Amino acid sequence: MWRRLVRDRLLWLFLLPGLAYFLIFHLGAALGMGIAFTDYWPGGGIGEASWTGPGTFGRMFGDPDFWHAVLNTLEISLLQLVFFFPVPLALALLLHSLTSTTVKRFVQNVVYLPHFISWVIVVAVFQQILGGAGVLNGFLADNGMHTIDIIGNPDAFKPLLVAQIIWKDSGWGTIIFLAALSQVDDTLYEASVVDGAGPWRRFWHVTLPSIRPVIVLLLVMRLGEILSVGFEQVLLQRDAVGPAAGEILDTFVYYKGIVGGDFPYAAAAGIFKGLVGAVLVYAANKIAHRLGEQGVYR
Amino acid sequence: MSRPAWSEKPGPVTVTAKAVALTVICLLVTVPFLVVVATSLASPEEVTANGGWVLWPQHPTLDAYREIFQGGQVTRAIGVSAGITIVGTAASLTATTLLAYALSRPQLVGGRKIMLGILFTFLFPPGMIPAFLVVKELGLLDSYAALIAPVLVNVFNLVIIRGFIQGLPAELFEAARLDGASEWKVLRHVVVPLSKAVLAVVGLFYAVSYWNAWFHASIYMSDAKWPVQQLLRTYIISGAQLADPSASEAGMVSAPETVRMAVLVIAIIPIVVIYPFVQRYFVKGVLTGAVKS
């Protein structure tokens, strides 16, 4: 044992910076969750805080603002699932059906690009296009139509979030579907054509079943992240619509802790999110296995 | 790719529908960028007359860009962003490669357990408040290290590089060992030259994420040390005023729309410039990562 450690000393040296990072910023931070059970306040050090037990969780579960944030998060998650999730699949099917490699490459390069643009810029660009003085309303006003109030309108907030994520990540999301589509066994198509199947029947009976494992895998992963709905995206725009429409669990943690200084409460909300996420990944994976799919892990 | 033999030729309606759909999709992505670039190049009067934006400037001018690079807040923020991106990418790429190489060697005692532990942290991130506390307790608040150290290694990038190294033929390592090469020599002279493409992609992934980051700067840094994305956030999205050195009597002036759009363009340019270099590789990179995890 000792000799192997000495023999591999250079490897351990290689390991050091990365391992130190994970120990400090992941394991160390995991220990930091403990402040949810203390009366820590930002002015004092960690040593000055004393244990209070799980009382903070009781306060959290009795707080209507907390449940409101959870509800908003779930609502946005559901909207994303219904309106965003199928878009990359549809786009991938469209791209896959193209016979010209040049056109396909060109469109791919265009639609992947927004993925690399920061949320700050995406939100700024959306304001420029859809805002009160933006392109859309300028066009509507010039043509004698009613302008529409999108940016800063609490009722339009959640659809706006979904529209932004469709714009930013639909193209990027096609990558995994395109890979799955290219793996579909060509002889299955040939056989189904021989049996007289048209394009629709081929889609239902060959394409869809062939890429089902990938769809299930992505759904399982999405379910595990049901309480994560794009923290940066929402934080950038929450103030414009107020907490009633715009507060999600992550921004709740941010405003309670970083802004409000109630670190134990914010940490408790963070723990809640982590636990629910872990349970959901586990449950979703179980469901996937029941359905006879691979899921995320075995 | 030509049409497979079993597929029927699509009718004119299908072809037209597809062409229209693809054109609309491409326009939806590109037109917003064009509006931003065009507005940044127009004169402030033209922008005001047109109601806040233009699609094609009548008298293109670089005034907005000159104003940005006069040495005010924006110039400094661009410098901060560039510095963080360069130093951060170098640090992250080095730490990730060293870690990935060590964890790819089968003889490392406990290597598998360490890798599992790291994957576990990926499934259960500690959250914002504990991460903030660690940075605070380490005394990193308001130091540039706070923008790099807490995001030094990305698990996804680690999995990509490790997967690639594991895919290299075992004989290479065997031959190097027989030659008496140290692990450092193997990494430096065998692995790195063979992994150039994947290292380039991961490096560019890191560079993009450092360039695009703003949240950590907003909670860890005082405004004199803000990167350009955080500056953009406060004065374009939240509508704050930009400190302008040329308007010293007034102190603060509301930046004209053209200047705001010019800052946007400056923040987008590095991404658009490196994009053609990455896009050849990233599909492969993403898929390796997806398959492995």
Side-chain angles (χ1 to χ4, degrees), chain A residues 17-45:
Chain A
L19 200 59
Y21 161 76
F22 281 102
L23 288 178
I24 296 169
F25 289 100
H26 288 266
L27 201 60
L31 297 177
M33 290 181 192
I35 63 150
F37 302 93
T38 70
D39 60 358
Y40 177 88
W41 69 103

Side-chain angles (χ1 to χ4, degrees), chain B residues 137-181:
Chain B
E137 292 298 315
L138 289 175
L140 293 179
L141 286 183
D142 208 29
S143 89
Y144 290 119
L147 302 183
I148 295 174
V151 289
L152 186 69
V153 179
N154 176 293
V155 174
F156 184 72
N157 291 340
L158 174 69
V159 168
I160 292 179
I161 300 185
R162 179 172 171 264
F164 186 86
I165 297 177
Q166 281 176 331
L168 293 174
E171 297 83 49
L172 275 177
F173 297 98
E174 203 49 51
R177 202 172 359 261
L178 289 177
D179 286 349

Side-chain angles (χ1 to χ4, degrees), chain A residues 107-180:
Chain A
V107 179
Q108 277 177 301
N109 287 342
V110 170
V111 296
Y112 292 163
L113 182 62
H115 174 77
F116 293 94
I117 304 294
S118 74
W119 271 116
V120 172
I121 293 172
V122 172
V123 170
V125 168
F126 264 75
Q127 284 186 355
Q128 187 70 10
I129 303 294
L130 300 179
V135 175
L136 177 70
N137 279 321
F139 176 81
L140 291 176
D142 288 349
N143 291 285
M145 283 182 271
H146 283 293
T147 55
I148 35 179
D149 182 20
I150 300 171
I151 307 290
N153 176 359
D155 295 327
F157 183 66
K158 289 183 181 101
L160 176 68
L161 292 181
V162 178
Q164 286 168 341
I165 198 161
I166 289 176
W167 187 80
K168 191 175 193 289
D169 278 332
S170 293
W172 189 248
T174 60
I175 291 180
I176 196 153
F177 289 122
L178 281 172

Side-chain angles (χ1 to χ4, degrees), chain B residues 169-224:
Chain B
E171 297 83 49
L172 275 177
F173 297 98
E174 203 49 51
R177 202 172 359 261
L178 289 177
D179 286 349
S182 69
E183 295 289 356
W184 169 249
K185 284 217 169 101
V186 177
L187 176 62
R188 177 75 186 74
H189 297 293
V190 179
V191 174
V192 168
L194 287 174
S195 318
K196 265 186 196 142
V198 75
L199 293 180
V201 178
V202 169
L204 288 162
F205 280 160
Y206 274 128
V208 167
S209 75
Y210 279 117
W211 180 263
N212 281 344
W214 56 273
F215 177 67
H216 282 166
S218 81
I219 61 175
Y220 296 144
M221 312 299 279
S222 56
D223 35 355

Side-chain angles (χ1 to χ4, degrees), chain A residues 8 12 14 21 29 35 40 42 97-99 101 109 112-113 116 118 120 128 133-134 167 172 190 202 232 278, chain B residues 1 6 8 18 28 51-53 98 107 109 124 126 130 133 136 149-150 153 212 214 229 257 261 275 279 282 286:
Chain A
D8 294 336
W12 286 100
F14 291 173
Y21 161 76
I35 63 150
Y40 177 88
S97 75
L98 299 177
T99 40
T101 319
N109 287 342
Y112 292 163
L113 182 62
F116 293 94
S118 74
V120 172
Q128 187 70 10
W167 187 80
W172 189 248
E190 285 163 19
R202 288 204 300 271
E232 289 197 354
Chain B
M1 188 179 78
W6 47 263
E8 54 277 86
K18 274 185 193 172
L28 280 176
W53 57 278
L98 289 173
Q107 76 265 30
V109 184
F124 306 101
L133 284 175
K136 189 182 164 218
V153 179
N212 281 344
W214 56 273
Q229 303 279 348
E257 197 64 22
M261 290 306 114
Y275 183 69
Q279 52 92 358
F282 59 43
V286 168

Side-chain angles (χ1 to χ4, degrees), chain B residues 100-115:
Chain B
Y101 177 71
L103 290 175
S104 73
R105 300 294 83 224
Q107 76 265 30
L108 189 77
V109 184
R112 260 188 73 80
K113 288 203 181 85
I114 295 173
M115 191 63 206

